Amino acid sequence: MSQYTAFTEQDALAYVQEKSGLFTADEPLNCYEFGDGNLNMVFRISNHTGTSVILKQALPYARCVGESWPLTLDRARIEAQALIAHSKVCPEHTVKVLDYNPDLALILLEDLGDMQILRGAQNQAKQFDLLGEHVADYLAKTAFYYSDFYLDAQEKKALVAQFINPELCQITEDLFFSDPYRKHERNNYPAQLQPLVLELWQDDALKTAVAQLKAKFLSSPQSLLHGDMHSGSIFVDAQQTKMIDPEFAFFGPIGFDLGSFIGNLLLNYCAQNGRIQDENERHTMQAHLLHTLHTTVSEFARQFTQLASQHTQDVNFQEPAYISAFIQSVIKDAVGYCATELIRRTIGLAHVADIDTIADESARLDVQQQTINLGRQLIKSADDIHDAQSLKAVLSSLLN
Ligand code: SR1
Ligand code: MG
């Protein structure tokens, strides 16, 4: 089979049996589809001894909306190539690509076995002590090694061209920056939030800050981003953290990935107000989330500074004051992108289970108001935030 067709479980099983080299032709295999993301099909294929593999296939449309939203199959190439690129500089936190088939828009990936998707785990109030360090390690290495600090300018431009990803970027441009700040049919929020949403739409200072963030997203090819660093793109257990799903990868502003990740930590922080009844238990989980957030930002800054101080190739960018100013601007951008993540996951098309699965409607509405207000205040505080310490100070005043 080499012409594109959307796989059934039977097709996925037959493909893996024939092509993966992991299984013999006649051994019995089990296959099931378990994708719960917005865009693709994801199959797990295993034999009775526990050998298994993941087959991810792009559909020619966005799965969460259906055929009325056509979407390029080229996203499978982008995802495979981004995983391979990120694996070169951070194999410890990047899922392994075993094979990529461009005709069928599919990728064979290592099965991460008993590791859990971070969002589901956090919704069960599970804590991961190494999460912040691991994410910071991944973000610092991928950001540094694909930036102008490290790459030769010709090589960088070739990579920028390779990772041009217009259709997926357009989704982010619309869903993060455009839709939530005006009336749009894709927006999705309960009627009770309308007064707060209207206030947001009339907040000119906020809309100016969002315009600046969108402009930077559109035209700052600082490094090869993951592009969709939310809690559903991260597998975790007590020892390991692995990033998956970079189909939104492109060369963009470094603060976007960091901001998306910390935005998801804050979404979970707010959601716990409606999820965990016991006050002590809730405070413990929320303290863990804030600790993870601060570790991520401080470790990211420390590691990027160290990489830039020791391995920068470009003579101009070796200047210590430039490195320090660059990191400060990345953290400021991250705060802005974090705020837009909080707002778009509440008002826009794509929500998070952290909030949507809160059973009690009034508790859910309180959380939704909190995420909107937090996003709105954070975006306006971004000018005062340039490192983990100043972020900590602003967050503790906004969250108390
Ligand atoms: C139509 S895609 C909606 C969202 O899912 C992806 O994971 C991205 O976050 C995107 O914004
Ligand atoms: Mg995804």
Side-chain angles (χ1 to χ4, degrees):
M1 201 184 293
S2 67
Q3 202 176 348
Y4 181 84
T5 172
F7 272 13
T8 60
E9 290 180 345
Q10 207 43 50
D11 295 328
L13 189 152
Y15 181 90
V16 162
Q17 192 139 38
E18 189 189 338
K19 306 273 189 197
S20 71
L22 292 170
F23 305 106
T24 59
D26 50 359
E27 70 178 309
L29 298 181
N30 181 43
C31 174
Y32 62 96
E33 202 281 327
F34 66 106
D36 65 351
N38 288 318
L39 301 179
N40 307 297
M41 304 289 280
V42 187
F43 303 89
R44 175 179 279 122
I45 302 100
S46 59
N47 68 6
H48 71 288
T49 65
T51 302
S52 59
V53 68
I54 300 298
L55 185 155
K56 178 171 178 183
Q57 188 182 38
L59 294 168
Y61 52 86
R63 182 178 184 173
C64 63
V65 175
E67 294 185 32
S68 63
W69 189 336
L71 204 54
T72 175
L73 293 174
D74 189 47
R75 66 189 193 270
R77 174 189 69 81
I78 294 277
E79 176 166 345
Q81 293 180 350
L83 285 172
I84 291 165
H86 284 174
S87 284
K88 281 190 190 151
V89 299
C90 193
E92 54 279 44
H93 301 307
T94 309
V95 68
K96 241 190 234 111
V97 173
L98 306 177
D99 196 18
Y100 159 58
N101 183 322
D103 299 322
L104 294 167
L106 68 79
I107 311 173
L108 290 187
L109 296 157
E110 73 172 311
D111 185 359
L112 295 171
D114 290 335
M115 292 177 77
Q116 245 189 308
I117 290 279
L118 178 62
R119 189 180 307 289
Q122 289 184 329
N123 287 343
Q124 297 167 339
K126 292 191 184 162
Q127 301 183 16
F128 299 94
D129 294 342
L130 300 174
L131 176 66
E133 263 172 59
H134 286 174
V135 172
D137 188 48
Y138 168 82
L139 292 177
K141 285 176 178 160
T142 54
F144 174 76
Y145 285 111
Y146 289 96
S147 73
D148 292 308
F149 286 91
Y150 187 74
L151 290 178
D152 158 78
Q154 301 295 315
E155 194 187 349
K156 163 113 179 305
K157 286 180 181 69
L159 283 169
V160 170
Q162 179 185 331
F163 284 98
I164 291 288
N165 193 1
E167 285 191 36
L168 282 281
C169 283
Q170 166 105 49
I171 292 178
T172 304
E173 290 146 23
D174 291 342
L175 299 192
F176 260 79
F177 307 115
S178 301
D179 299 0
Y181 302 94
R182 52 200 46 82
K183 192 171 162 46
H184 197 285
E185 62 187 9
R186 276 187 300 246
N187 284 335
N188 172 21
Y189 56 86
Q192 294 94 319
L193 288 182
Q194 189 63 55
L196 190 57
V197 170
L198 279 176
E199 245 185 64
L200 195 90
W201 292 350
Q202 283 154 14
D203 185 340
D204 292 338
L206 175 80
K207 292 199 291 181
T208 304
V210 172
Q212 284 163 346
L213 289 160
K214 182 176 181 181
K216 198 153 204 179
F217 182 86
L218 284 162
S219 46
S220 289
Q222 291 177 337
S223 192
L224 176 59
L225 307 190
H226 176 287
D228 199 20
M229 273 291 293
H230 62 82
S231 311
S233 297
I234 303 175
F235 266 92
V236 275
D237 66 18
Q239 287 84 35
Q240 297 186 89
T241 309
K242 299 271 186 185
M243 310 314 152
I244 61 165
D245 260 11
E247 65 204 308
F248 285 75
F250 77 115
F251 274 75
I254 290 170
F256 183 74
D257 277 351
L258 179 61
S260 300
F261 177 67
I262 64 174
N264 277 263
L265 293 177
L266 290 177
L267 283 163
N268 193 262
Y269 178 103
C270 297
Q272 296 303 355
N273 288 327
R275 302 184 70 84
I276 306 180
Q277 306 306 319
D278 180 89
E279 208 174 320
N280 284 336
E281 222 183 284
R282 183 168 69 248
H283 286 164
T284 308
M285 181 63 188
Q286 289 178 324
H288 165 72
L289 291 164
L290 284 188
H291 177 73
T292 303
L293 187 155
H294 296 306
T295 305
T296 309
V297 177
S298 58
E299 274 302 296
F300 168 82
R302 188 194 62 74
Q303 216 185 128
F304 195 101
T305 306
Q306 192 178 33
L307 289 168
S309 310
Q310 293 173 0
H311 302 290
T312 294
Q313 305 296 305
D314 185 286
V315 286
N316 294 99
F317 302 152
Q318 287 165 354
E319 197 60 38
Y322 174 74
I323 295 171
S324 158
F326 183 84
I327 290 161
Q328 290 187 18
S329 76
V330 167
I331 291 173
K332 180 186 152 192
D333 293 346
V335 172
Y337 291 122
C338 162
T340 57
E341 176 71 349
L342 285 162
I343 293 170
R344 73 111 175 185
R345 293 293 190 181
T346 313
I347 296 179
L349 172 80
H351 288 201
V352 289
D354 318 36
I355 299 176
D356 280 9
T357 60
I358 296 172
D360 181 77
E361 191 192 4
S362 129
R364 193 167 63 244
L365 274 173
D366 286 347
V367 169
Q368 289 171 315
Q369 282 169 356
Q370 192 189 9
T371 54
I372 293 173
N373 287 327
L374 180 60
R376 201 168 159 196
Q377 290 164 313
L378 253 186
I379 236 176
K380 293 180 183 168
S381 311
D383 282 339
D384 305 326
I385 300 174
H386 46 269
D387 58 13
Q389 270 315 105
S390 46
L391 176 57
K392 191 175 194 166
V394 168
L395 279 178
S396 54
S397 78
L398 295 180
L399 293 170
N400 287 316

